Amino acid sequence: MTTILFELGTEELPPKNLKTLRDALSDNVKETLVAQDIGYDEIKAYAAPRRLALQIVGISDKQPDKVEQKRGPALKAAFDGEGNLTRAGQGFADGLGISKDELITIGTDKGDYIGYNLTVAGKPTTELLPEILQKALDKLPIAKRMRSGAERSEFVRSVQWVVLMADNQVIDATIQGHRTGSKTRGHRFHAPEFFELSHAADYETALAERSVVADFDKRQADITAQVNQLAKQVAGVAIVPQDLLDEVTALVDLPVALLASFEDRFLAVPQEALISTMQADQKYFCLTDEQGKLKPNFIFVSNIKSKNPEAVILGNEKVVRPRLSDAEFFFLQDQKQPLFALSESLKNRVFQDKLGTIWEKSERIAKLAAFIAEQIGADAEAATRAGLLAKCDLASTLVGEFPELQGIAGTYYARLNNEPQAVADAIEEQYLPKFSGDDLPATDIGIALALADRLDTLAGIFGIDEAPTGSKDPFSLRRASIGILRILIEKNLNLNLSNLLEQALAGYGDKLADTAKTFNDVMEFINARYRAMYSEQGVAVDTILAVQAVQVDVPMDFDKRIHAVTAFRSLPQASVLAQNNKRVANILTKSETVITGSVQEQALIEDAEKALNAAITDAKSVVQPLQAKADYQAVLAALTSLSEPLSAFFEHTMVNAEDETLKNNRLALLWQVRTLFLSVADIGLLQD
């Protein structure tokens, strides 16, 4: 059992992809080792700014020997009447270099054949590794590869050296155009010279002695600990997004966190703008107090241990000051006019070529938001005002510099203009939720505006026949649809989606050629999002299909039915009822009789059909008040009383009787059963 070390030394690797490259390299090698039947105890993956490395511990020295059964011609064709090999048999033996005595007989369904058990010796691991590693590198998820100088091999960055060792011996090979060896380098500044590795197992320790923390996870844990410790010094809470933490970890070999500050006057600028520029441009960790208010401090992670850290801190404070000054300038510049005055600029900005300007969109969503506000008992006048102001900040210089602040900037400016609090809050909330699992609008006006904005976009884009296709969704209509459903469901809004969409379409007047088709297309598109949304929550697909089958236009009601069917599936009668409901649906579908649904009791002659009719009558009286309260879980629980009578009916009664009166009466019974269940969902679609 051996320890293998592979290291690829490069120029600085892309920090946003370093973790992905590390994991992909490890996974690719693991997959190939398993395929090649090479055993190992553990693979440790390393990643630092100038290196990707693998340490394979306890790897076997060679592949195990294998026995391959070679099959030749049929037995009767391989030997003649005297037991001697025929030309075909001899050719098979000669091809394997064996004698007649070494042949075996292989019995199959098609007869007996001659054969031979060939022992194939396993190849040494050191012989196989170079190709395994090269193929693993070739499969890395690299969008754009580069060549360096006259080299023919390509990689994401220029390769400088390659280490490949088995314990204390170099495995001689060429990988990425470089001859393998045992020399590597330490920190670019603290220990830049090449040095010799004495053993593959010494890799991490040897680099640590030369100021390189090769283990990505250890480096990240060290950064987190240092940042939290420095934050405590100023009674702050560090903002540490995982993406930023990964990127900073990928930028340094030797993390040294330092605390810096900026002038208090910058705190008058929207803190989102300050945080955005410090995180995106400088890779700094911002600090807030316990209430989430930004503090005039930040933490940065240096890649060197400076003899004069104060000078490093001053340098970073000097660098960040112009960026904060820019944000301050844009913020003050925008305040020279009221937020609504920016609407003039929106009249010249196109929302979509065929759908007009952003201002026209603002007018539409203002009307639609007012309509929705009335439906939910909110202030329609405030919703109108919020709609007219909603997109104004798109014309601000602050959003021009920081596009991610759209909505947020508008809320700040609305407050400075003394707009009503509900109006100001709604401007930011219109964009919620921004992603899966994000917060929803908290205010009624924000809810109305968020729904209006998304519905207007859906109606318009579908109306000009620009619906998403495949992965192409430039207006994020899938995300918008899920946002609509989440708001209506999670905010318990008993709103009819069809009515909302009709209002959205009406806002476009005669701009849309075929509003009927657009209505159907948008409704189908939004309803299709239920599957993705509920599947993510672990709901079975057939449960979703069962509810979709009854075409519910109120998302809140749809959600209640989903939960009801999910609960129903756990009941002992569920499976039998689902099968019988499917049978009922098939019988009714194939029937050529017009079924009225009324049952003539005098035409009930079988005990089983009388019992089913009585059970239906009882069930109706029980479920009617439950249906009125939309208590679908209780409705389905009550309908389990039909399980035994329905099964008995199918066992003892011929539905399609020759007597038309009997047949129609029995079909009417089944129609009533189906109608009761369809008041919740089509449970006949449920699978076992």
Side-chain angles (χ1 to χ4, degrees):
M1 304 297 280
T2 305
T3 296
I4 297 292
L5 173 66
F6 167 66
E7 182 193 52
L8 191 74
T10 68
E11 291 298 333
E12 271 72 6
L13 293 161
K16 290 184 178 180
N17 297 335
L18 184 62
K19 192 175 180 181
T20 300
L21 292 174
R22 176 201 68 174
D23 295 342
L25 178 61
S26 177
D27 291 343
N28 291 346
V29 170
K30 286 177 182 177
E31 182 182 326
T32 309
L33 289 177
V34 171
Q36 298 271 19
D37 204 13
I38 300 172
Y40 63 91
D41 291 337
E42 178 190 11
I43 292 184
K44 180 83 186 249
Y46 299 93
R50 293 200 295 164
R51 69 198 76 228
L52 287 171
L54 294 176
Q55 199 175 55
I56 312 174
V57 180
I59 194 168
S60 54
D61 294 335
K62 61 186 284 293
Q63 292 174 310
D65 294 342
K66 292 183 178 179
V67 176
E68 294 182 4
Q69 192 173 78
K70 301 291 184 180
R71 195 172 80 178
L75 191 63
K76 58 184 178 182
F79 291 96
D80 59 21
E82 298 177 0
N84 297 315
L85 286 173
T86 62
R87 180 178 294 181
Q90 190 62 52
F92 174 74
D94 291 346
L96 293 171
I98 59 175
S99 66
K100 170 186 170 183
D101 296 337
E102 294 177 275
L103 293 170
I104 62 172
T105 300
I106 302 174
T108 71
D109 294 340
K110 297 181 180 179
D112 293 338
Y113 294 80
I114 63 168
Y116 176 67
N117 288 330
L118 177 66
T119 300
V120 180
K123 292 184 179 180
T125 300
T126 52
E127 183 181 321
L128 296 168
L129 272 174
E131 184 179 0
I132 290 173
L133 294 166
Q134 184 61 65
K135 285 185 176 179
L137 292 171
D138 293 341
K139 287 172 61 180
L140 290 181
I142 298 172
K144 194 171 183 180
R145 294 174 181 261
M146 61 175 286
R147 279 201 304 246
S148 178
E151 291 181 7
R152 296 185 62 83
S153 60
E154 297 180 342
F155 199 58
V156 65
R157 291 291 184 269
S158 174
V159 176
Q160 300 295 304
W161 73 90
V162 180
V163 173
L164 184 57
M165 301 175 66
D167 292 336
N168 60 353
Q169 299 296 315
V170 172
I171 300 174
D172 191 23
T174 299
I175 296 176
Q176 287 297 132
H178 285 257
R179 203 75 181 171
T180 56
S182 58
K183 288 185 177 180
T184 186
R185 305 173 90 165
H187 193 283
R188 183 181 280 279
F189 305 111
H190 293 307
E193 302 82 10
F194 277 104
F195 69 94
E196 196 92 29
L197 287 165
S198 58
H199 196 283
D202 298 339
Y203 178 70
E204 190 173 355
T205 303
L207 284 178
E209 291 170 353
R210 291 163 178 83
S211 302
V212 175
V213 181
D215 188 313
F216 187 97
D217 296 332
K218 285 184 180 178
R219 230 167 38 252
Q220 187 162 101
D222 188 15
I223 290 171
T224 302
Q226 290 187 51
V227 167
N228 289 336
Q229 185 61 39
L230 289 174
K232 287 180 182 178
Q233 293 180 15
V234 291
V237 178
I239 302 174
V240 188
Q242 187 59 48
D243 288 347
L244 178 60
L245 180 59
D246 286 344
E247 190 173 354
V248 170
T249 306
L251 284 167
V252 297
D253 280 314
L254 181 68
V256 179
L258 297 168
L259 178 67
S261 62
F262 56 84
E263 291 91 331
D264 286 354
R265 67 182 175 88
F266 290 122
L267 294 177
V269 179
Q271 68 180 47
E272 292 86 353
L274 304 181
I275 292 170
S276 177
T277 191
M278 285 192 280
Q279 287 182 347
D281 299 324
Q282 302 304 124
K283 314 306 175 190
Y284 294 162
F285 298 109
C286 302
L287 301 178
T288 67
D289 59 21
E290 292 292 342
Q291 287 70 47
K293 190 174 185 299
L294 190 68
K295 295 179 72 68
N297 306 97
F298 61 90
I299 295 169
F300 65 94
V301 179
S302 173
N303 192 31
I304 58 172
K305 274 189 177 178
S306 174
K307 295 178 181 177
N308 186 6
E310 291 77 14
V312 179
I313 293 170
L314 286 173
N316 277 268
E317 291 175 343
K318 184 177 180 181
V319 167
V320 80
R321 192 172 296 115
R323 297 193 177 277
L324 301 184
S325 296
D326 286 346
E328 180 185 45
F329 171 78
F330 296 135
F331 182 57
L332 295 174
Q333 190 73 11
D334 288 335
Q335 293 178 55
K336 291 181 179 180
Q337 56 186 329
L339 177 62
F340 187 74
L342 296 174
S343 64
E344 286 300 315
S345 176
L346 300 183
K347 294 175 182 178
N348 299 315
R349 297 193 180 201
V350 176
F351 163 55
Q352 204 282 338
D353 287 343
K354 298 178 184 178
L355 299 176
T357 65
I358 296 177
W359 175 245
E360 289 174 311
K361 178 178 175 63
S362 298
E363 290 181 311
R364 288 194 304 271
I365 64 176
K367 291 179 182 177
L368 185 54
F371 172 80
I372 296 171
E374 289 176 345
Q375 304 298 306
I376 61 176
D379 186 340
E381 187 177 336
T384 301
R385 182 64 177 172
L388 293 175
L389 292 174
K391 306 300 179 184
C392 288
D393 68 353
L394 296 179
S396 68
T397 55
L398 188 64
V399 172
E401 182 68 16
F402 304 102
E404 64 275 15
L405 295 187
Q406 57 185 303
I408 296 170
T411 289
Y412 274 93
Y413 296 144
R415 288 171 181 161
L416 289 169
N417 294 164
N418 295 316
E419 294 285 351
Q421 185 68 34
V423 172
D425 290 344
I427 295 173
E428 178 179 355
E429 291 179 350
Q430 69 179 301
Y431 295 104
L432 299 177
K434 296 178 181 178
F435 50 84
S436 176
D438 191 20
D439 293 336
L440 299 180
T443 66
D444 288 344
I445 305 301
I447 287 169
L449 193 57
L451 290 172
D453 188 17
R454 289 166 171 81
L455 285 163
D456 176 80
T457 302
L458 280 160
I461 300 303
F462 270 87
I464 58 171
D465 202 23
E466 293 287 342
T469 55
S471 59
K472 184 181 177 184
D473 187 7
F475 286 87
S476 301
L477 299 187
R478 293 183 178 88
R479 187 172 64 195
S481 299
I482 290 177
I484 290 170
L485 295 177
R486 279 195 60 203
I487 291 171
L488 292 174
I489 291 169
E490 295 178 35
K491 291 295 181 178
N492 293 315
L493 301 176
N494 191 25
L495 296 180
N496 188 299
L497 194 54
S498 294
N499 294 343
L500 298 183
L501 182 55
E502 286 171 356
Q503 289 294 320
L505 290 167
Y508 279 95
D510 58 0
K511 279 190 177 183
L512 307 181
D514 190 343
T515 54
K517 179 180 182 301
T518 302
F519 175 85
N520 292 331
D521 289 347
V522 174
M523 287 299 294
E524 182 180 347
F525 183 79
I526 295 177
N527 285 329
R529 307 280 76 77
Y530 280 123
R531 181 162 177 173
M533 191 171 77
Y534 283 107
S535 293
E536 193 174 281
Q537 298 173 23
V539 176
V541 172
D542 54 345
T543 294
I544 303 166
L545 295 176
V547 178
Q548 284 182 318
V550 297
Q551 299 180 344
V552 181
D553 280 352
V554 179
M556 185 185 78
D557 194 61
F558 189 100
D559 184 68
K560 288 182 178 179
R561 294 167 189 261
I562 286 286
H563 290 293
V565 175
T566 300
F568 168 77
R569 299 188 72 151
S570 65
L571 300 177
Q573 303 94 329
S575 179
V576 172
L577 277 171
Q579 292 172 13
N580 282 336
N581 264 268
K582 183 176 182 179
R583 188 173 177 182
V584 169
N586 289 336
I587 291 171
L588 294 176
T589 300
K590 293 175 182 177
S591 173
E592 298 177 357
T593 305
V594 178
I595 306 168
T596 63
S598 59
V599 176
Q600 301 176 32
E601 292 193 11
Q602 66 274 17
L604 300 171
I605 59 173
E606 300 284 351
D607 290 342
E609 58 186 336
K610 291 177 182 177
L612 179 59
N613 183 56
I616 291 171
T617 302
D618 291 343
K620 283 180 180 178
S621 63
V622 173
V623 303
Q624 188 174 3
L626 299 174
Q627 288 170 336
K629 294 188 297 182
D631 189 350
Y632 300 118
Q633 189 167 332
V635 169
L636 288 178
L639 291 180
T640 57
S641 63
L642 298 180
S643 179
E644 291 184 12
L646 186 57
S647 295
F649 175 83
F650 280 129
E651 186 176 350
H652 301 293
T653 307
M654 174 68 70
V655 176
N656 291 315
E658 293 183 8
D659 186 309
E660 281 293 316
T661 302
L662 291 179
K663 181 177 78 171
N664 292 341
N665 211 44
R666 289 165 184 173
L667 288 172
L669 270 176
L670 296 183
W671 184 88
Q672 291 195 9
V673 170
R674 181 150 176 79
T675 301
L676 281 169
F677 279 99
L678 286 178
S679 68
V680 180
D682 186 355
I683 68 165
L685 296 177
L686 301 181
Q687 307 294 318
D688 289 337

